[in-house]
Short mmCIF file of all heavy atoms in Angstrom, two decimals:
data_model
loop_
_atom_site.label_atom_id
_atom_site.label_comp_id
_atom_site.label_asym_id
_atom_site.label_seq_id
_atom_site.Cartn_x
_atom_site.Cartn_y
_atom_site.Cartn_z
N TYR A 14 43.51 307.79 83.76
CA TYR A 14 42.65 306.61 83.88
C TYR A 14 41.30 307.00 84.48
O TYR A 14 40.25 306.52 84.03
CB TYR A 14 43.31 305.54 84.75
CG TYR A 14 42.38 304.38 85.01
CD1 TYR A 14 42.21 303.38 84.06
CD2 TYR A 14 41.64 304.31 86.19
CE1 TYR A 14 41.33 302.33 84.28
CE2 TYR A 14 40.75 303.26 86.41
CZ TYR A 14 40.60 302.29 85.46
OH TYR A 14 39.72 301.27 85.68
N GLU A 15 41.31 307.85 85.49
CA GLU A 15 40.06 308.28 86.12
C GLU A 15 39.16 308.95 85.09
O GLU A 15 37.95 308.72 85.07
CB GLU A 15 40.36 309.25 87.27
CG GLU A 15 40.71 308.58 88.57
CD GLU A 15 39.49 307.88 89.17
OE1 GLU A 15 38.48 308.55 89.45
OE2 GLU A 15 39.55 306.65 89.35
N GLY A 19 37.69 305.46 84.94
CA GLY A 19 37.38 305.50 86.36
C GLY A 19 35.99 306.04 86.66
O GLY A 19 35.31 305.57 87.57
N SER A 22 33.72 303.18 86.17
CA SER A 22 33.94 302.17 87.22
C SER A 22 33.22 302.55 88.50
O SER A 22 32.65 301.70 89.19
CB SER A 22 35.44 302.02 87.50
OG SER A 22 36.15 301.68 86.34
N ARG A 23 33.25 303.83 88.82
CA ARG A 23 32.64 304.30 90.07
C ARG A 23 31.11 304.24 90.00
O ARG A 23 30.44 304.10 91.03
CB ARG A 23 33.12 305.71 90.40
CG ARG A 23 34.60 305.71 90.75
CD ARG A 23 35.15 307.04 91.18
NE ARG A 23 36.60 306.92 91.34
CZ ARG A 23 37.19 306.42 92.41
NH1 ARG A 23 36.45 306.01 93.43
NH2 ARG A 23 38.50 306.32 92.48
N ALA A 26 30.53 300.08 90.24
CA ALA A 26 30.95 299.35 91.44
C ALA A 26 29.85 299.16 92.47
O ALA A 26 29.69 298.05 93.01
CB ALA A 26 32.17 300.04 92.07
N ASP A 43 40.50 293.21 97.52
CA ASP A 43 40.18 293.79 96.21
C ASP A 43 41.43 293.64 95.34
O ASP A 43 42.44 294.30 95.57
CB ASP A 43 39.79 295.27 96.40
CG ASP A 43 39.44 295.96 95.09
OD1 ASP A 43 39.54 295.33 94.03
OD2 ASP A 43 39.10 297.16 95.14
N GLY A 45 43.58 294.01 92.03
CA GLY A 45 43.63 294.93 90.89
C GLY A 45 42.72 296.11 91.13
O GLY A 45 41.88 296.45 90.30
N CYS A 46 42.91 296.75 92.27
CA CYS A 46 41.97 297.79 92.74
C CYS A 46 42.02 299.06 91.93
O CYS A 46 41.13 299.90 92.04
CB CYS A 46 42.22 298.10 94.21
SG CYS A 46 43.81 298.92 94.56
N GLY A 47 43.05 299.25 91.10
CA GLY A 47 43.13 300.48 90.32
C GLY A 47 43.16 301.71 91.20
O GLY A 47 43.90 301.77 92.18
N THR A 48 42.33 302.66 90.88
CA THR A 48 42.29 303.90 91.66
C THR A 48 41.26 303.87 92.78
O THR A 48 40.97 304.89 93.39
CB THR A 48 42.01 305.10 90.74
OG1 THR A 48 40.84 304.85 89.95
CG2 THR A 48 43.19 305.35 89.80
N GLY A 49 40.68 302.69 93.05
CA GLY A 49 39.89 302.51 94.26
C GLY A 49 38.39 302.56 94.13
O GLY A 49 37.69 302.67 95.13
N ALA A 50 37.86 302.43 92.92
CA ALA A 50 36.41 302.52 92.73
C ALA A 50 35.67 301.42 93.49
O ALA A 50 34.70 301.68 94.21
CB ALA A 50 36.06 302.46 91.25
N LEU A 51 36.12 300.18 93.33
CA LEU A 51 35.44 299.07 94.00
C LEU A 51 35.66 299.13 95.50
O LEU A 51 34.73 298.86 96.28
CB LEU A 51 35.92 297.73 93.45
CG LEU A 51 35.29 296.49 94.07
CD1 LEU A 51 33.77 296.49 93.89
CD2 LEU A 51 35.89 295.22 93.48
N THR A 52 36.84 299.48 95.93
CA THR A 52 37.12 299.59 97.36
C THR A 52 36.18 300.58 98.02
O THR A 52 35.63 300.32 99.10
CB THR A 52 38.58 300.02 97.60
OG1 THR A 52 39.47 299.12 96.93
CG2 THR A 52 38.93 300.03 99.08
N ALA A 53 35.99 301.72 97.38
CA ALA A 53 35.08 302.73 97.92
C ALA A 53 33.66 302.20 98.00
O ALA A 53 32.94 302.44 98.99
CB ALA A 53 35.12 303.99 97.06
N ALA A 54 33.23 301.45 96.99
CA ALA A 54 31.88 300.89 97.01
C ALA A 54 31.72 299.85 98.10
O ALA A 54 30.66 299.76 98.74
CB ALA A 54 31.56 300.30 95.63
N ILE A 55 32.74 299.03 98.32
CA ILE A 55 32.69 298.04 99.39
C ILE A 55 32.51 298.73 100.73
O ILE A 55 31.69 298.33 101.56
CB ILE A 55 33.97 297.18 99.38
CG1 ILE A 55 34.03 296.30 98.13
CG2 ILE A 55 34.04 296.30 100.64
CD1 ILE A 55 35.38 295.64 97.90
N CYS A 56 33.28 299.79 100.96
CA CYS A 56 33.18 300.53 102.22
C CYS A 56 31.80 301.14 102.41
O CYS A 56 31.26 301.17 103.52
CB CYS A 56 34.26 301.61 102.27
SG CYS A 56 35.94 300.98 102.44
N VAL A 64 39.21 295.97 104.45
CA VAL A 64 39.42 295.82 103.01
C VAL A 64 40.91 295.97 102.73
O VAL A 64 41.49 297.01 103.04
CB VAL A 64 38.64 296.86 102.17
CG1 VAL A 64 38.79 296.54 100.69
CG2 VAL A 64 37.18 296.91 102.56
N ALA A 66 43.26 296.31 99.65
CA ALA A 66 43.14 296.62 98.22
C ALA A 66 44.53 296.65 97.62
O ALA A 66 45.41 297.36 98.10
CB ALA A 66 42.45 297.97 98.03
N CYS A 67 44.74 295.86 96.56
CA CYS A 67 46.07 295.77 95.98
C CYS A 67 46.03 295.99 94.48
O CYS A 67 45.04 295.72 93.80
CB CYS A 67 46.71 294.42 96.31
SG CYS A 67 45.90 292.99 95.55
N ASP A 68 47.14 296.48 93.97
CA ASP A 68 47.32 296.68 92.54
C ASP A 68 48.81 296.65 92.25
O ASP A 68 49.62 297.00 93.11
CB ASP A 68 46.72 298.03 92.10
CG ASP A 68 46.46 298.09 90.60
OD1 ASP A 68 47.43 298.32 89.84
OD2 ASP A 68 45.31 297.88 90.18
N PHE A 73 48.60 304.00 90.78
CA PHE A 73 47.19 303.82 91.09
C PHE A 73 46.99 303.71 92.61
O PHE A 73 46.04 304.27 93.16
CB PHE A 73 46.65 302.56 90.41
CG PHE A 73 46.35 302.73 88.94
CD1 PHE A 73 46.62 303.93 88.29
CD2 PHE A 73 45.81 301.70 88.20
CE1 PHE A 73 46.35 304.09 86.94
CE2 PHE A 73 45.52 301.84 86.86
CZ PHE A 73 45.79 303.04 86.23
N ILE A 74 47.88 302.98 93.27
CA ILE A 74 47.76 302.84 94.72
C ILE A 74 47.92 304.18 95.41
O ILE A 74 47.17 304.52 96.34
CB ILE A 74 48.81 301.83 95.25
CG1 ILE A 74 48.44 300.41 94.82
CG2 ILE A 74 48.94 301.91 96.77
CD1 ILE A 74 47.16 299.87 95.43
N ALA A 75 48.87 304.98 94.97
CA ALA A 75 49.07 306.31 95.56
C ALA A 75 47.84 307.18 95.38
O ALA A 75 47.42 307.90 96.30
CB ALA A 75 50.30 306.98 94.95
N HIS A 76 47.23 307.13 94.20
CA HIS A 76 46.02 307.90 93.92
C HIS A 76 44.88 307.44 94.81
O HIS A 76 44.17 308.25 95.42
CB HIS A 76 45.65 307.74 92.45
CG HIS A 76 44.54 308.63 91.99
ND1 HIS A 76 43.21 308.38 92.28
CD2 HIS A 76 44.55 309.79 91.28
CE1 HIS A 76 42.46 309.33 91.75
NE2 HIS A 76 43.25 310.20 91.13
N ALA A 77 44.70 306.11 94.90
CA ALA A 77 43.60 305.57 95.71
C ALA A 77 43.80 305.91 97.19
O ALA A 77 42.84 306.29 97.88
CB ALA A 77 43.54 304.06 95.53
N ARG A 78 45.02 305.80 97.66
CA ARG A 78 45.30 306.06 99.08
C ARG A 78 45.01 307.52 99.43
O ARG A 78 44.53 307.81 100.53
CB ARG A 78 46.77 305.71 99.36
CG ARG A 78 47.16 305.76 100.82
CD ARG A 78 48.60 305.34 100.99
NE ARG A 78 48.77 303.90 100.84
CZ ARG A 78 49.76 303.33 100.14
NH1 ARG A 78 50.64 304.08 99.49
NH2 ARG A 78 49.85 302.01 100.09
N HIS A 80 42.76 309.46 97.93
CA HIS A 80 41.36 309.83 97.76
C HIS A 80 40.38 309.01 98.61
O HIS A 80 39.20 309.35 98.68
CB HIS A 80 40.97 309.71 96.28
CG HIS A 80 41.50 310.82 95.43
ND1 HIS A 80 42.80 310.82 94.95
CD2 HIS A 80 40.94 311.96 95.00
CE1 HIS A 80 42.99 311.92 94.24
NE2 HIS A 80 41.88 312.63 94.25
N LEU A 81 40.85 307.93 99.21
CA LEU A 81 39.98 307.14 100.07
C LEU A 81 40.68 306.91 101.40
O LEU A 81 41.56 306.06 101.50
CB LEU A 81 39.61 305.81 99.42
CG LEU A 81 38.73 304.88 100.26
CD1 LEU A 81 37.41 305.55 100.63
CD2 LEU A 81 38.47 303.57 99.52
N VAL A 86 40.55 300.32 105.56
CA VAL A 86 41.18 300.04 104.27
C VAL A 86 42.70 300.09 104.37
O VAL A 86 43.27 301.01 104.97
CB VAL A 86 40.71 301.04 103.20
CG1 VAL A 86 41.43 300.80 101.88
CG2 VAL A 86 39.20 300.92 103.00
N PHE A 88 45.82 299.91 101.51
CA PHE A 88 46.23 299.83 100.12
C PHE A 88 47.67 299.33 100.04
O PHE A 88 48.54 299.84 100.74
CB PHE A 88 46.14 301.20 99.44
CG PHE A 88 44.73 301.66 99.17
CD1 PHE A 88 44.14 302.65 99.93
CD2 PHE A 88 44.00 301.10 98.12
CE1 PHE A 88 42.85 303.08 99.68
CE2 PHE A 88 42.70 301.52 97.86
CZ PHE A 88 42.13 302.51 98.63
N ALA A 109 37.43 293.88 90.12
CA ALA A 109 36.54 294.61 89.22
C ALA A 109 37.30 295.17 88.03
O ALA A 109 38.24 295.95 88.19
CB ALA A 109 35.84 295.76 89.96
#
Side-chain angles (χ1 to χ4, degrees):
Y14 174 81
E15 276 291 300
S22 303
R23 293 184 186 279
D43 180 358
C46 67
T48 53
L51 180 59
T52 305
I55 293 168
C56 290
V64 186
C67 66
D68 199 280
F73 282 3
I74 289 294
H76 188 283
R78 188 177 286 136
H80 285 81
L81 178 58
V86 176
F88 287 106

